[in-house]
Amino acid sequence: MTQTVRIGVAVDVPPPWGPQLTRHRIEAGDPLGAAIPAHVTLLGPTEVDLTDLAAIEGHLATVAAEHAEFELLLRGTGTFRPITEVVFVAVAAGISECEQLAAAITATPPLQRPRHYPYHPHVTVAQDVPEPALDDVFEKLAGFEARFDVSGFTLFTHTGDIKSPESRWHPQRDYRLAGPPIPVGPPADRPGVAPRPGR
């Protein structure tokens, strides 16, 4: 029988904001609040063959080497209701960088899976709790804002029941983003970008 391992890849939300969001998730009554610190998912829970893990780690190192550090802005709340009973803190800046990382991470065959929903970077703050609790955390964090630099991501493994608060995600390896800086400034200052004609 082939032995498998459940993995995930995420960007942790640093202090003081991460613990603050985790506390709100716990206070909302989310049973997984204490088991899953606040994070932005790049690769959701994925079962892979244990024999593929070394190659996956090498692939993640390549992805990190090819992508630059970037700034992430979290602002306000959103929800996936009525599709799923989730309230989240929204990513207001850094969306494309998260999308690019997520796409690059899943570009290797062991991690290619059909998606049930389009990738949407966010930080979950309540899931599968009663409607009043979802409404409450949605309102409490409506004015939330955090801005921080993302310098890397982490590979996690998980054992046991994915829905059990007794199970934990275990960090296995941190990957530092080391790609060239993203160009800034007017388009005319960027290599390979022609200036727009005047109007």
Side-chain angles (χ1 to χ4, degrees):
M1 179 182 294
T2 302
Q3 190 172 2
T4 63
V5 60
R6 183 182 299 122
I7 68 170
V9 179
V11 172
D12 284 331
V13 179
W17 309 287
Q20 179 184 348
L21 295 180
T22 298
R23 185 179 70 252
H24 277 283
R25 186 168 181 175
I26 294 170
E27 291 173 351
D30 189 322
L32 298 181
I36 307 178
H39 66 281
V40 177
T41 298
L42 297 176
L43 174 73
T46 304
E47 295 280 344
V48 300
D49 290 347
L50 191 58
T51 54
D52 287 331
L53 190 55
I56 290 170
E57 290 181 342
H59 170 69
L60 293 177
T62 299
V63 170
E66 293 176 346
H67 289 76
E69 297 183 10
F70 62 97
E71 186 177 75
L72 195 70
L73 172 62
L74 304 178
R75 178 186 289 158
T77 48
T79 181
F80 293 132
R81 293 183 284 179
I83 306 302
T84 57
E85 298 300 299
V86 172
V87 168
F88 57 85
V89 166
V91 175
I95 296 173
S96 63
E97 290 88 346
C98 289
E99 290 173 340
Q100 290 167 22
L101 279 172
I105 287 169
T106 57
T108 186
L111 299 181
Q112 291 174 350
R113 301 286 192 281
R115 284 191 179 276
H116 297 294
Y117 308 104
Y119 176 71
H120 181 86
H122 64 280
V123 180
T124 297
V125 288
Q127 182 171 4
D128 296 332
V129 298
E131 195 82 9
L134 291 171
D135 293 338
D136 185 55
V137 72
F138 184 92
E139 293 297 329
K140 282 182 176 178
L141 290 172
F144 178 86
E145 183 171 315
R147 188 188 300 268
F148 55 91
D149 291 331
V150 175
S151 60
F153 55 79
T154 303
L155 169 68
F156 294 85
T157 59
H158 183 277
T159 55
D161 182 356
I162 194 71
K163 291 291 187 181
S164 171
E166 304 304 319
S167 299
R168 292 289 189 274
W169 285 95
H170 306 285
Q172 297 299 310
R173 182 175 171 184
D174 293 325
Y175 296 85
R176 185 171 183 83
L177 300 176
I182 298 172
V184 295
D189 295 338
R190 303 179 192 174
V193 179
R196 293 182 180 179
R199 293 182 179 178

